[in-house]
Amino acid sequence: MTVKKTSVIGFPRIGRKRELKFACEKFFKGEISGDELQRVGAEMRRYGWQRQQERGISLIPSNDFSFYDNVLDTAFLLGVVPERYRQLGLSELETYFAAAHGYQGEKGDVKALPMKKWFNTNYHYIEPELDDDTVLRLQGDKPVRDYAEAKALGIDTVPALIGAYTFLHLARYCGQKRAADFVEAAVEAYAQIGGQLAAAGASWISIAEPALVLDVTAEERALFKAIYASLVGRLHATGLKVLLQTYFGDIRDVYRDVVALGFDGIGLDFVEGQKSLELLQTGFPKDALLFAGVVNGKNIWRADYAQKNALIASIEQLVAPERVVISTSCSLLHVPYTVAAEERLSTDILDYFAFAEEKLTELVDLASGDTAALGRNKTLFAGVRTVPHADVRNALAQLSEADFERTPARLARRQVQKEVFRLPALPTTTIGSFPQTAEVRAARTAFRKGTISREQYIDFNRNKILECIKLQESIGLDVLVHGEFERNDMVEYFGSKMDGYVFTQNAWVQSYGTRCVKPPIVWGDVSRSAPMTVDWSVFAQSCTNKPVKGMLTGPVTILNWSFPREDISLKEQALQIALAIRDEVLDLESNGIRIIQIDEAALREKLPLRKSCWHSDYLDWAIPAFRLVHAKVKPETQIHTHMCYSEFGDIVRDIDAMDADVITFEASRSDLKLLDALKAVQFETEVGPGVYDIHSPRVPSVDEIVGVLHKIIAKIPKENVWVNPDCGLKTRGEQETTQSLKNLVEAAKRLRSEVF
Ligand code: GLN
Ligand code: ZN
């Protein structure tokens, strides 16, 4: 067996201890300078490069680092920065952050660019905006700086860029011009970057075009061809070798074109790309390298070498072994840094995990065919990891259609609920969490470390809940929440209360900007042994006469934000979780909680990228899993749900079919585009499209919110409208939160008097 080359698409960048996050936060507060922040960034890059070098990775990426998001980096690189951010007259770094999360200060008041879900991951990018005046041209030199920085450390990297096709595909067009109008300028800019990289000494450039794994229309295909028909030659003229890197699926719609365009390397995903092998059978360019994405960049399970070697063997039937490079299936950004940072889990468990750094070893093991490593891996996979939970398996087997059907029908329940709650028109509420101040986090940490007792912790949280309820009453909100002070994370909290989950200490993964999540790991069959939220909700309800929402996370979101098992289906895992949450819903109800919100923030997350698979592969079990959770409640119990982070326009019918009574959505960052879709399907669920963006500290004025509400009631029957922020408030400061909510309540009141 020949020793093959190895390649990595991208590496985590937030820091093993989230150093980048903390440094950014200090920078935002003015506690450290831009230079100091830059130094932390450099440290993060150095760490990643050196780790990959030590482990023996042949092709190590650079420019995969970002202070916020690589798409936003690309926009700045290409000069695609809306004038309203430039006009602020801030430093380059501050302008960048202004576009990322908004700016409100001495120099002006601008909202952030919209944030969108990055394909089928839990990472989010900033949507670039092009209008008819946008002059797309090379403005920055980040790829060259990063390349030179690595080189100064003695590491020759492969500069990685997001390609022009994907960039133009993801962008929003505000004027008449469309992607095709920017192709020429984009080719010019990428060719110039190539020239600079080649001059700096680079031999490869890696261009990522994940948008090719989506359904590609004839027009889009023409656009892709137009870009690369000229760009590949221009880059070759600089002396660079060009790798076209794809991931998150297969490129069935353009494979023919890709193999004909003269790329020196083609990166295909053999983990999520159902048809990648089939495509390879249709031919592969004789002199190109195949970057075979065989190590899963999205999940944390150790690779089964026997299985991977079989895959590599079938690839080598089609491409000569010496031209196969062993690669990750996507960037390792989507997994944590290293298993070595986990001190609490036993090695019996940790042995089954491979995070980013361990995946480097897997790449090298697979490329070298190391027999000792193969033997150890074989022994591991021959063992029994987890045994089925009989009760859970039985309960699942006994489910019938009635378990998924709530009665009476929604419109009949609505009448009952109107009588019970007697809420004003345009009822106001929040999404659940209130600011998680340093004090709140400190109490949780102290409890976890045992420095305060359970009683002290409960007391602390009860005080916070009481304070939060009083605050909401004084602000004048109609439906209250307890504030979620006991939760670090909406998924981890539930995972830690259910059996079947495993938790890490440091396995952070970037979600957006510097925000990270620590997804729990589904280890075995999931079940609930005791109530998880009832005490907090009951206490909160005892503090007020207004209804307080019980707050749960739905099964699909819990699963989508966990690292799932690979030995049973996602459907089975979702239904197991749904049964556990159903028990919690019924317990809340029997303890006097009359409104229960079951968040499905991440429902859209795992929607297959190709439309043709949406129902068969996903919605046909995801929607029923949600229905299972609430189908058994009384007619007068009001079920809310909440969704955020992405566009829902195309699945609003399915969302209506979840059969909730009320849904709150993130909407403000995407300019309320959702409303047209809701109108088009005559959306039946009552709906609260978020009236302001909670990802930014800026306070929306009353007039601004009234303006948004007018847009909402122009499209949705006003009787069905709720008034609420976009999402939970846990990342916000207390003052801005109070002021924003006061303005929200004031706006609702003003509108009530105007239109009712
Ligand atoms: N109830 C959660 C909160 O308010 C919802 C968070 C979310 O949708 N991401 O924090
Ligand atoms: Zn949300």
Side-chain angles (χ1 to χ4, degrees), residues 105-167:
E106 292 158 9
K107 302 199 169 149
D109 182 355
V110 278
K111 287 192 213 169
L113 287 170
M115 184 167 74
K116 293 282 157 67
K117 208 170 101 68
W118 179 242
F119 297 87
N120 52 1
T121 70
N122 180 28
Y123 176 76
H124 299 80
Y125 68 93
I126 299 295
E127 183 179 53
E129 180 184 297
L130 289 109
D131 63 30
D132 293 348
D133 298 327
T134 305
V135 182
L136 191 160
R137 63 161 180 255
L138 184 60
Q139 298 254 307
D141 62 350
K142 176 174 173 285
V144 186
R145 272 187 283 125
D146 281 15
Y147 175 78
E149 190 179 296
K151 199 153 192 209
L153 293 167
I155 302 170
D156 190 17
T157 56
V158 176
L161 280 96
I162 290 176
Y165 174 75
T166 296
F167 180 80

Side-chain angles (χ1 to χ4, degrees), residues 119-120 165 209-217 220 246-255 268-269 272-276 279 604-619 650-651:
F119 297 87
N120 52 1
Y165 174 75
E209 291 290 13
L212 296 178
V213 310
L214 305 170
D215 290 316
V216 179
T217 63
E220 289 165 342
T246 66
Y247 41 83
F248 302 145
D250 62 66
I251 55 169
R252 62 188 81 162
D253 297 331
V254 291
Y255 185 75
L268 302 180
D269 176 352
E272 284 189 280
Q274 293 170 5
K275 288 196 193 282
S276 292
L279 293 170
R604 204 179 189 291
E605 195 111 323
K606 296 280 160 71
L607 197 65
L609 293 172
R610 288 178 193 277
K611 232 178 180 153
S612 51
C613 309
W614 281 7
H615 277 269
S616 54
D617 288 2
Y618 183 73
L619 291 170
D650 37 17
I651 56 163

Side-chain angles (χ1 to χ4, degrees), residues 431 601 642-644 726-728:
I431 308 305
H642 164 74
M643 288 189 191
C644 53
D726 259 347
C727 191

